[in-house]
Amino acid sequence: MAALEPGLLQIWQTLARNARRRLSLGSLKSVLDVSPERERVSPTAWLNGMRGLAALFVFFYHFAYAYFPWLPLGFASRDEDYHIIQLPFLRLLISGPSMVAIFFLVSGYSLSIGPLKELQNGSSSKCLDRTASAIFRRPIRLFLPSIASTFIVMICVSLGMYTKGDAMRDGENQPGFREPNPQIRVNLWEQFWDWERETAQWLMIWRFDHGNHSYDCHLWTLPVEFRCSIILFVTIAAVANSRARARLLVLLSMVVYCHLSNFWEGWLFFAGSLLAQIKLLQSPPPQLPSMPRKWYQEWKGYGTVLLFLLGLFLLSAPDYNGGDSPGYRALFKLNPGWGEGWRFWYCIGAVLLAWTVGGAEYLQDIFTHPISQYLGRISYALYLVHGPICHMLGFWLIPYMWGFTGKETAAQFGAGFFLGALFVVPITVLTAHVFCQYVDEPSIHFAKRVEASARKEP
């Protein structure tokens, strides 16, 4: 059994002191406040909470799949795949690809709801104004925080903060997926130019063959997010003078086109926009007599819950071996012709989830809870910092914990991972909070100031 190193205790104590300074009692109360005033949230606040929980589960996935190679596999798809976390619904806690589907659908919904609402109110000029503003601010919003995060990673790599974790990236200490590390250069100057070249290549957003950033391999989604955002904004501008039925037809046609093109990311963006348009067009329920109306509402509630559960079930589909997993065998035979056929079921699951939650306040309560809303606030920061924290801390801390628990049995292996997670998870959330406060949110304000300074006088 290894002795507890003083350095590890010192790191934890220092981080705890910083946490007390950063997270004052007042800020914690503001996060966890459940007063009636706090409960009055916007009608689309559930989107933010959904995005926050998805970001947290993506973090869990990227942290865990380095140690458990069976995570992406289906339950009972092999003789050894009978882990409880592989079961439907529970799998959502560590299902990264399905959470990315939720990201893209929520983005399509939230980016288009404002302009489409202006069209619904009969103001195409305000729609175009909001769309132009969103297009102007979009690159700053997406890329300024991510450039800052990779710049910080570059400095950390040069200072040797990735070295300890990199030494543990072998089959014994990381039996699962081993993410690539940035190449360590001879000095800070060389490291900077390596980062500059990599960032410049990553920012070639219209090149579909180069989406990864070697200083954070999870950032492949951001060029995709930007491309889909611009295509969506252009489509909304194109239908700004169209009738509601024409807008519906165009958005539906774009979903079909993306489906036939094996463009699942665009599929989700336009599906989210289509859901937003349908939501705006929905009329109040008919004024039925009391008994039939009660019967209708009751059965509508049952149907909503069933569709909600079906959406979660589809989002729980395994990445691999789904055709051999009970409950998914028939589904995986229905490949729409996509290269990664399992993503189709994530798309359908994300649509069902957003459709049911958007129409049922009792389901929205899950995502409008203060904790979900807080995770939504820091979601982008959490997405940007979780990978570097895993590399700098998690990937060496887990083997260190095995010095206490051993790893000869599955129970010992899991206990060591759990002990390491007790450090890694709160440190990552704390880091995301600080990054959100000092980088992400200021970037949003900066984008607004730049747009305001560039806007011509009416």
Side-chain angles (χ1 to χ4, degrees):
M1 302 285 284
L4 185 62
E5 292 183 1
L8 187 60
L9 281 174
Q10 191 174 24
I11 289 172
W12 181 253
Q13 291 167 355
T14 302
L15 288 165
R17 286 195 298 270
N18 289 337
R20 286 196 296 268
R21 287 196 295 267
R22 298 290 187 187
L23 297 173
S24 64
L25 183 60
S27 65
L28 283 175
K29 285 182 177 179
S30 67
V31 169
L32 300 176
D33 183 17
V34 291
S35 62
E37 291 78 9
R38 184 64 181 249
E39 291 176 357
R40 288 196 289 268
V41 295
S42 71
T44 57
W46 58 272
L47 292 166
N48 197 42
M50 189 177 290
R51 183 189 292 114
L53 289 172
L56 182 68
F57 297 159
V58 164
F59 162 41
F60 290 167
Y61 174 74
H62 287 150
F63 184 37
Y65 75 169
Y67 302 99
F68 304 100
W70 41 263
L71 279 183
L73 304 178
F75 181 81
S77 61
R78 302 180 304 173
D79 292 340
E80 60 268 34
D81 286 323
Y82 284 88
H83 307 279
I84 189 171
I85 198 67
Q86 292 178 305
L87 288 169
F89 306 108
L90 292 177
R91 174 186 286 278
L92 292 171
L93 296 172
I94 44 83
S95 181
S98 65
M99 296 301 110
V100 172
I102 293 175
F103 282 155
F104 289 158
L105 185 126
V106 166
S107 291
Y109 196 120
S110 59
L111 290 175
S112 56
I113 187 70
L116 290 175
K117 186 179 293 185
E118 299 294 352
L119 293 180
Q120 188 71 11
N121 295 332
S123 180
S124 59
S125 61
K126 289 184 179 180
C127 167
L128 291 173
D129 185 68
R130 293 188 65 160
T131 303
S133 173
I135 292 173
F136 189 98
R137 291 180 285 110
R138 195 62 175 163
I140 302 175
R141 172 70 188 99
L142 284 178
F143 296 119
L144 186 57
S146 51
I147 290 173
S149 69
T150 54
F151 183 82
I152 294 171
V153 169
M154 179 270 297
I155 295 176
C156 293
V157 170
S158 184
L159 293 175
M161 298 175 70
Y162 268 57
T163 305
K164 199 168 183 178
D166 189 54
M168 299 295 177
R169 293 174 62 253
D170 54 51
E172 180 180 355
N173 291 299
Q174 280 192 15
F177 181 78
R178 291 185 287 278
E179 294 181 351
N181 261 352
Q183 187 173 355
I184 301 175
R185 301 295 179 175
V186 294
N187 54 50
L188 179 60
W189 183 249
E190 290 291 330
Q191 199 75 55
F192 170 79
W193 284 111
D194 181 70
W195 168 83
E196 187 276 335
R197 287 189 296 268
E198 189 64 28
T199 302
Q201 286 293 316
W202 176 67
L203 289 173
M204 301 293 179
I205 55 166
W206 300 112
R207 287 180 54 185
F208 288 75
D209 60 336
H210 188 88
N212 284 337
H213 196 306
S214 66
Y215 285 78
D216 189 348
C217 64
H218 306 139
L219 301 189
W220 67 269
T221 59
L222 299 189
V224 174
E225 177 94 17
F226 182 77
R227 288 194 294 265
C228 292
S229 301
I230 298 302
I231 297 171
L232 177 61
F233 288 141
V234 170
T235 304
I236 292 175
V239 298
N241 293 319
S242 303
R243 291 173 297 181
R245 290 183 179 179
R247 292 197 298 271
L248 278 174
L249 181 60
V250 169
L251 292 173
L252 178 60
S253 299
M254 291 301 295
V255 174
V256 174
Y257 176 76
C258 292
H259 181 93
L260 297 175
S261 304
N262 190 11
F263 184 28
W264 62 271
E265 304 96 330
W267 192 108
L268 287 160
F269 263 78
F270 282 106
S273 183
L274 181 64
L275 290 179
Q277 179 63 84
I278 294 173
K279 181 67 176 177
L280 291 171
L281 292 174
Q282 281 181 327
S283 58
Q287 296 298 320
L288 302 174
S290 57
M291 288 303 291
R293 179 181 174 85
K294 181 179 179 182
W295 178 88
Y296 166 78
Q297 293 293 347
E298 183 177 344
W299 281 98
K300 180 183 177 183
Y302 291 148
T304 298
V305 171
L306 288 175
L307 288 177
F308 174 75
L309 294 175
L310 177 60
L312 295 182
F313 177 79
L314 295 177
L315 288 167
S316 303
D319 303 344
Y320 304 104
N321 289 7
D324 299 321
S325 183
Y328 295 101
R329 289 170 180 158
L331 292 178
F332 272 71
K333 292 179 181 178
L334 303 175
N335 189 331
W338 293 3
E340 297 172 318
W342 41 272
R343 290 200 185 271
F344 173 71
W345 298 112
Y346 292 162
C347 292
I348 300 298
V351 167
L352 292 176
L353 179 67
W355 173 256
T356 53
V357 173
E361 291 186 4
Y362 55 89
L363 294 177
Q364 292 177 17
D365 290 343
I366 303 170
F367 304 102
T368 57
H369 188 277
I371 293 178
S372 298
Q373 289 295 296
Y374 172 71
L375 289 171
R377 177 196 165 194
I378 66 168
S379 59
Y380 191 36
L382 181 59
Y383 189 77
L384 293 178
V385 307
H386 79 272
I389 296 297
C390 287
H391 281 260
M392 287 187 284
L393 176 64
F395 290 165
W396 66 262
L397 186 59
I398 300 302
Y400 178 81
M401 289 300 178
W402 285 332
F404 297 93
T405 65
K407 60 176 181 177
E408 289 73 23
T409 67
Q412 291 175 321
F413 190 96
F417 177 82
F418 177 75
L419 287 176
L422 291 179
F423 287 85
V424 175
V425 171
I427 289 173
T428 303
V429 172
L430 174 62
T431 305
H433 179 92
V434 175
F435 190 89
C436 175
Q437 184 174 353
Y438 292 105
V439 179
D440 187 28
E441 291 177 345
S443 297
I444 298 174
H445 300 316
F446 176 72
K448 292 179 179 179
R449 289 197 300 270
V450 171
E451 187 209 2
S453 65
R455 182 182 289 267
K456 67 179 181 179
E457 297 294 333

